[in-house]
Amino acid sequence: MFDGLPLVAREAVAGARFDWALGEWFADWTAGKISARGLAVKIQAVDKVASASERAATWGPDYPILKGELP
C-alpha cells in the first residue's frame, strides 16, 4: 500500500512520528478524492495533532502546545 502512494505522501508518512494505518488515505487517493499534495498535508496535520495530544497527555497542561498543532 505504501508503494502505491505518491512520492510526496510517502515522504510525509516516512517523516511522521507515528506509524499510521494507510488504508483510508490510500482509498481516498486511488478514488481521486484527494490530490498528492493534499494527502501529504493531511498526513502531516494528523501527525502534528497526535503528537501534541500525546505530549499534553504525558506532560500535562504546562507543556507548551505549538501554534497549529491542535485545532
Side-chain angles (χ1 to χ4, degrees), residues 19-69:
D19 293 330
W20 294 104
L22 302 176
E24 184 177 334
W25 292 331
F26 185 74
D28 287 349
W29 164 249
T30 56
K33 294 180 182 177
I34 194 165
S35 69
R37 183 70 190 134
L39 184 57
V41 168
K42 185 175 184 176
I43 292 167
Q44 291 167 343
V46 168
D47 196 61
K48 269 187 181 180
V49 170
S51 295
S53 296
E54 184 175 285
R55 280 199 318 274
T58 301
W59 298 102
D62 293 333
Y63 196 86
I65 302 299
L66 304 176
K67 182 179 178 182
E69 286 187 318

Side-chain angles (χ1 to χ4, degrees), residues 1-23:
M1 202 171 302
F2 179 81
D3 293 334
L5 292 172
L7 178 61
V8 68
R10 286 183 300 196
E11 289 171 346
V13 171
R17 180 172 183 197
F18 297 99
D19 293 330
W20 294 104
L22 302 176

